[in-house]
């Protein structure tokens, strides 16, 4: 930003490019992807041709080396067409960034070319059946055996599980708690790696989700990211950006539904006039727009803080994620109400966004955990 309120010319150009890509390659097809549970692999690979698979991977590693605000602009633009697809690309970016930022030269050389081009798709594996919000209690073990780690355990709710090629996995190599957690990169075809059945979800139908199961899976020590015991720190650093991106996905979805509602109330007539003429309609739209802009302003500020590595970046990332995802869900719900019975039908896009945005208040850390993070930071 050139000041508190304006994007730079480069940021506007990036936003416009992402919006054009969305209008051409995502929006016309998103309803079909949802209806038929189709994973749009070719569309996602096309996004990589624009650099969207490695937004904040360094230029030295083949990425486009942008900041977190630019990433948020891209995610917001793509979510206008399909929040699910945008969020999937966000998760891939998180995994690629962790390898670029914390991995050694050999690891980067082996994985980043494929991740940047999206010849390889990546997943981020932290959550387990028994450790969601309490991520530091994870139980998946990595026992050292010569030049390998032997992995045992299960990861839960993994986007791309069973479909993606590479899994950035948080494992326990040492003591209980966060200091015993390390990070390793696991290939899909590693013996001992298997996947659960695809989850049957309320939304995010265009993105496969499944358990990732490790049963004596041998992974080279050379695939460790950073040093033993650093994994939890890497995971939390990744979530600062991931929370911004999922908040941006909520903004994009909310903006789409606000735009759809504005057009609908102009066309829909009741009691002899367009419902846009009723003061109640105008008040609701005004509240929706105000909530959206307030959330957007906080998220953009938080993104700038994460890029600058500001000392309060984690608190602002948590606040932005909470406000954006709460507001996004609320805005879409109010848009659905304006559509009345038609909003409940799949002939209109509102119900899809209502389903897709609901999970944003849960993943990348529940909004209850976001409040914990903010409260603890204020009181420290």
């Amino acid at each position: 930003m050139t000041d508190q309120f304006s994007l730079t010319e480069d940021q506007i150009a990036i936003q416009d490019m992402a919006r054009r890509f969305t209008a051409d390659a995502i929006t016309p097809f998103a309803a079909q992807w949802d209806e038929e549970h189709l994973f749009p692999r070719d569309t996602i690979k096309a996004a990589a041709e624009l650099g969207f698979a490695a937004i904040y991977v360094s230029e030295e590693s083949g990425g486009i080396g942008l900041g977190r605000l630019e990433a948020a602009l891209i995610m917001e633009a793509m979510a206008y067409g399909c929040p699910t697809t945008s969020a999937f690309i966000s998760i891939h970016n998180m995994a690629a960034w962790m390898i670029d930022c914390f991995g050694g030269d050999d690891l980067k050389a082996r994985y980043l070319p494929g991740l940047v081009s999206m010849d390889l798709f990546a997943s981020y594996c932290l959550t387990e059946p028994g450790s969601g919000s309490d991520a530091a209690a994870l139980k998946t073990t990595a026992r050292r055996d010569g030049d390998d780690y032997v992995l045992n355990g299960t990861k839960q709710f993994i986007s791309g599980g069973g479909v993606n090629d590479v899994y950035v996995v948080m494992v326990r190599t040492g003591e209980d708690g966060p200091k015993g957690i390390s990070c390793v990169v696991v290939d899909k075809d590693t013996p001992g790696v298997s996947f659960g059945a695809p989850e049957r979800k309320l939304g995010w139908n265009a993105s496969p989700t499944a358990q990732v199961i490790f049963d004596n899976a041998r992974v080279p020590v050379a695939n460790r990211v950073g040093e033993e015991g650093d994994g939890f720190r890497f995971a939390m650093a990744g979530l600062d950006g991931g929370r911004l991106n999922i908040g941006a996905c909520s903004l994009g979805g909310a903006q789409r539904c606000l735009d759809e509602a504005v057009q609908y109330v102009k066309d829909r007539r009741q009691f002899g006039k367009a419902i846009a003429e009723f003061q109640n309609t105008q008040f609701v739209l005004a509240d929706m727009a105000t909530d959206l802009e307030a959330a957007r302003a906080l998220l953009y500020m938080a993104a700038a803080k994460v890029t600058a590595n500001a000392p309060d970046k984690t608190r602002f990332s948590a606040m932005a994620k909470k406000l954006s995802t709460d507001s996004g869900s609320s805005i879409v719900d109010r848009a659905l109400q304006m559509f009345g019975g038609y909003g409940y039908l799949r002939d209109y896009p509102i119900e899809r966004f209502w389903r897709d945005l609901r999970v944003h208040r849960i993943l990348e850390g529940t909004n209850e955990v976001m409040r914990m993070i903010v409260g603890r930071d204020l009181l420290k």
Side-chain angles (χ1 to χ4, degrees), residues 11 61 136-137 141 159-160 177 199 214 222-223 230 240 243 262 291 315 329 345 354:
Q11 289 165 344
S61 296
T141 58
S159 293
E199 302 288 1
F214 306 102
N223 277 28
D230 285 342
D240 279 342
R243 287 164 181 161
V262 167
D291 292 348
R315 170 158 56 95
S329 286
L345 302 181
W354 187 88

Side-chain angles (χ1 to χ4, degrees), residues 34 48 90 93 102-103 111 133 192 221 230 246 250 266 281 295 308 331 344 346 352 364 366:
D34 173 73
S90 167
N93 269 271
F102 303 115
Y111 284 101
S133 295
V221 172
D230 285 342
I246 208 65
S250 286
K266 292 178 180 177
T281 301
I331 290 164
Y344 205 66
R346 293 196 174 185
R352 170 168 59 88
E364 308 285 23
T366 66

Side-chain angles (χ1 to χ4, degrees), residues 29-293:
F29 312 106
Q32 180 187 7
W33 298 340
D34 173 73
E35 182 78 21
E36 300 178 13
H37 292 226
L38 297 176
F39 177 51
R41 179 179 291 272
D42 291 343
T43 301
I44 292 170
K45 282 206 68 173
E49 295 175 8
L50 301 176
F52 294 170
I55 299 169
Y56 30 85
V57 169
S58 64
E59 292 181 282
E60 293 79 6
S61 296
I64 57 177
L66 298 178
R68 298 311 175 109
L69 176 53
E70 290 81 4
L73 295 173
I74 292 167
M75 297 303 162
E76 181 180 353
M78 291 192 295
Y80 191 91
C82 180
T84 306
T85 301
S86 185
F88 183 92
I89 294 172
S90 167
I91 294 166
H92 174 92
N93 269 271
M94 184 195 306
W97 171 80
M98 290 182 72
I99 293 172
D100 180 45
C101 191
F102 303 115
D105 290 340
D106 172 70
L107 193 69
K108 291 193 281 189
R110 285 190 284 124
Y111 284 101
L112 285 177
L115 295 175
V116 168
S117 65
M118 267 191 153
D119 290 329
L120 299 175
F121 284 20
S123 291
Y124 171 83
C125 303
L126 175 63
T127 299
E128 297 184 359
S131 60
S133 295
D134 187 11
L138 67 84
K139 300 296 185 183
T140 297
T141 58
R143 176 178 56 84
R144 182 76 179 258
D145 182 23
D147 292 332
D148 293 331
Y149 288 113
V150 181
L151 273 60
N152 283 282
T154 300
K155 296 296 181 178
Q156 183 75 26
F157 303 130
I158 304 305
S159 293
V163 173
N164 286 359
D165 309 285
V166 176
Y167 297 84
V168 177
V169 186
M170 302 303 151
V171 295
R172 186 161 302 285
T173 54
E175 63 188 77
D176 290 343
K179 293 182 180 179
I181 296 172
S182 301
C183 177
V184 294
V185 179
V186 182
D187 295 324
K188 177 184 179 181
D189 60 0
T190 300
V193 174
S194 62
F195 305 94
E199 302 288 1
R200 300 168 64 217
K201 300 170 293 186
L202 174 69
W204 276 34
N205 291 324
S207 171
T209 304
Q211 287 186 333
V212 181
I213 303 163
F214 306 102
D215 183 9
N216 291 321
R218 300 186 75 91
V219 177
V221 172
N223 277 28
R224 188 183 66 219
V225 180
E227 300 299 322
E228 282 197 1
D230 285 342
F232 193 75
R233 178 170 63 86
F234 299 162
M236 295 302 102
L239 286 175
D240 279 342
R243 287 164 181 161
L244 295 173
N245 285 351
I246 208 65
C249 288
S250 286
L251 297 179
Q255 185 67 64
R256 170 71 179 280
C257 291
L258 175 59
D259 292 348
E260 295 280 351
V262 167
Q263 186 57 51
Y264 180 81
V265 299
K266 292 178 180 177
D267 297 334
R268 175 68 169 168
R269 298 184 65 83
Q270 290 290 282
F271 304 102
K273 57 183 176 181
I275 61 174
E277 296 181 33
F278 292 106
Q279 192 175 56
N280 179 69
T281 301
Q282 296 166 15
F283 282 0
V284 174
L285 288 172
D287 288 346
M288 292 162 68
T290 301
D291 292 348
L292 179 57
E293 293 298 343

